[in-house]
Amino acid sequence: MKRTIAIVCGGDSSEYDVSLRSAEGLYSFFDKDRYNLYIVVGKGTDWRVELSTGETVKIDMNDFSFKAKNKTVWFDYAYITVHGSPGENGILQGYFDLIGLPYSTSNVLVEALTFDKYMLNNYLKGFGVNVAPSILIRRGEEDNLDEKMVEKTIGMPCFVKPANDGSSFGVSKVKNSDQLAPALRLAFMESNDVMIESYMQGTEVTVGCYKTREKTVVFPVTEVVSSNEFFDYDAKYNGQVQEITPARISKELTEALQVETSRIYDILHCNGIIRIDYIVTKDDKGNDKIMMLEINTTPGMTETSFIPQQVKAAGLEMKNVLADIVENQF
């Protein structure tokens, strides 16, 4: 019997359209001989499944089933590719736990933790993971912000970013204290909590990883070279970036990044594919220092996204990687 899989996309964040593109990518990657596939698109309380006829049918949220041709279809598994809420912060995971539907991502706690960049950084610091100095500003506190204190403790330039959302929208590189207020306003459009983070000079890289009961797979490292001020939405999705896989770094640094990625995966007890972004800086003695930027628990899955690039560079096939992740839940 072929398992029936819902590729779940959409969501309530600014990355809604990106999520739909990831769903299309996943649909193309999955082994159609092995799985029955449906794309399920949700926004707010409206969740619908796309049928091969082109029509959409409302999902019954009591059990995440739907009716087509007087027949009820139940899913065996949900592959979540919602970027942002509710798919990347634990809300959707909690719902699937309640109805007993296995899914592709980490659990509620891990999703909630990785979604909050400030909380995640402070948690992982306790395990020796290197992160940039940062401060948290909650909505309503921005008027009391001491800009001189920020300049003294965080330094300039710095980054202002939503603490509880993806990294594509609401992010600003701030070069002087006069730019803090407008940067905060932009970030608060995406999140109620905003993080001000020190700027790190170095090489930006990203590494994907997944684990099953039988094996650990850490993909080749990708080097990210943006022509923009930083790796923003245009760099990510409009081609204003060079993505070099494998990265032009030493074998020793590659191995160190892969080991750190695997270690963080285990610290958090992740599930499915994650992707961790880093900046490699230099310490006082000129040695490489690996600084974690953020963890993506529902990484992009379009044809040109990082994970498919890394899978190809590793000599693997996406359909087999996805089958690994699905079958590990059964």
Side-chain angles (χ1 to χ4, degrees), residues 155-180:
M156 293 289 169
C158 65
F159 280 101
V160 175
K161 58 178 73 172
N164 301 102
D165 213 328
S167 58
S168 298
F169 295 91
V171 183
S172 301
K173 184 178 181 181
V174 172
K175 298 178 180 179
N176 59 67
S177 57
D178 292 340
Q179 297 175 348
L180 272 174

Side-chain angles (χ1 to χ4, degrees), residues 125-138:
K125 269 201 298 191
F127 293 89
V129 175
N130 296 319
V131 296
S134 62
I135 57 174
L136 183 69
I137 309 295
R138 291 194 166 94

Side-chain angles (χ1 to χ4, degrees), residues 32 45 73 78 86 117 121 156 206 218 247 253 262 276 318:
K32 312 296 189 302
T45 58
V73 177
K117 299 180 182 71
N121 283 7
M156 293 289 169
T206 188
V218 186
L253 179 55
S262 178
I276 306 183
M318 277 298 302

Side-chain angles (χ1 to χ4, degrees), residues 8-269:
V8 184
C9 62
D12 304 319
S13 81
S14 299
E15 294 189 84
Y16 177 91
D17 291 336
V18 179
S19 174
L20 267 55
R21 283 168 21 206
S22 284
E24 290 169 1
L26 283 163
Y27 189 90
S28 72
F29 295 140
F30 263 106
D31 188 342
K32 312 296 189 302
D33 294 329
R34 190 168 185 176
Y35 301 109
N36 296 315
L37 301 167
Y38 294 90
I39 292 178
V40 176
V41 184
K43 192 173 184 68
T45 58
D46 185 28
W47 290 79
R48 297 176 180 272
V49 61
E50 298 180 352
L51 303 180
S52 57
T53 58
E55 63 180 316
T56 64
V57 177
K58 200 166 181 64
I59 290 282
D60 182 348
M61 295 304 285
N62 289 298
D63 56 9
F64 211 65
S65 67
F66 68 94
K67 282 189 168 62
K69 296 180 181 177
N70 297 318
K71 177 185 173 185
T72 300
V73 177
W74 287 276
F75 292 108
D76 300 305
Y77 186 89
Y79 198 103
I80 300 171
T81 188
V82 176
H83 307 312
S85 185
E88 213 166 8
N89 58 359
I91 293 174
L92 200 53
Q93 289 78 6
Y95 162 69
F96 286 144
D97 284 341
L98 281 171
I99 65 171
L101 183 64
Y103 51 85
S104 58
T105 68
S106 303
N107 63 25
V108 173
L109 175 61
V110 176
E111 291 299 316
L113 181 60
T114 54
F115 193 65
D116 189 316
K117 299 180 182 71
Y118 185 79
M119 295 295 289
L120 176 68
N121 283 7
N122 282 277
Y123 179 73
L124 289 178
K125 269 201 298 191
F127 293 89
V129 175
N130 296 319
V131 296
S134 62
I135 57 174
L136 183 69
I137 309 295
R138 291 194 166 94
R139 189 181 298 278
E141 298 175 347
E142 59 268 31
D143 292 339
N144 300 321
L145 182 65
D146 185 340
E147 295 174 345
K148 295 298 181 186
M149 180 274 292
V150 173
E151 197 162 353
K152 184 177 179 182
T153 57
I154 301 299
M156 293 289 169
C158 65
F159 280 101
V160 175
K161 58 178 73 172
N164 301 102
D165 213 328
S167 58
S168 298
F169 295 91
V171 183
S172 301
K173 184 178 181 181
V174 172
K175 298 178 180 179
N176 59 67
S177 57
D178 292 340
Q179 297 175 348
L180 272 174
L184 286 166
R185 284 196 294 272
L186 181 66
F188 277 123
M189 291 174 67
E190 303 291 332
S191 171
N192 287 323
D193 295 335
V194 170
M195 186 165 73
I196 303 176
E197 185 178 61
S198 291
Y199 171 72
M200 294 180 286
Q201 179 71 45
T203 302
E204 185 164 355
V205 294
T206 188
V207 191
C209 174
Y210 76 92
K211 301 191 181 192
T212 68
R213 288 182 291 272
E214 290 81 29
K215 62 185 176 182
T216 293
V217 179
V218 186
F219 299 128
V221 179
T222 298
E223 181 182 351
V224 182
V225 184
S226 176
S227 56
N228 298 1
E229 280 277 359
F230 59 95
F231 190 46
D232 59 4
Y233 182 88
D234 283 331
K236 280 185 180 180
Y237 302 117
N238 293 331
Q240 297 174 12
V241 68
Q242 277 185 281
E243 299 166 1
I244 303 161
T245 310
R248 300 168 299 181
I249 56 177
S250 68
K251 179 183 176 184
E252 292 76 20
L253 179 55
T254 295
E255 290 175 354
L257 285 160
Q258 291 173 323
V259 166
E260 183 71 342
T261 300
S262 178
R263 185 174 82 94
I264 293 171
Y265 193 106
D266 289 341
I267 289 169
L268 295 172
H269 296 286

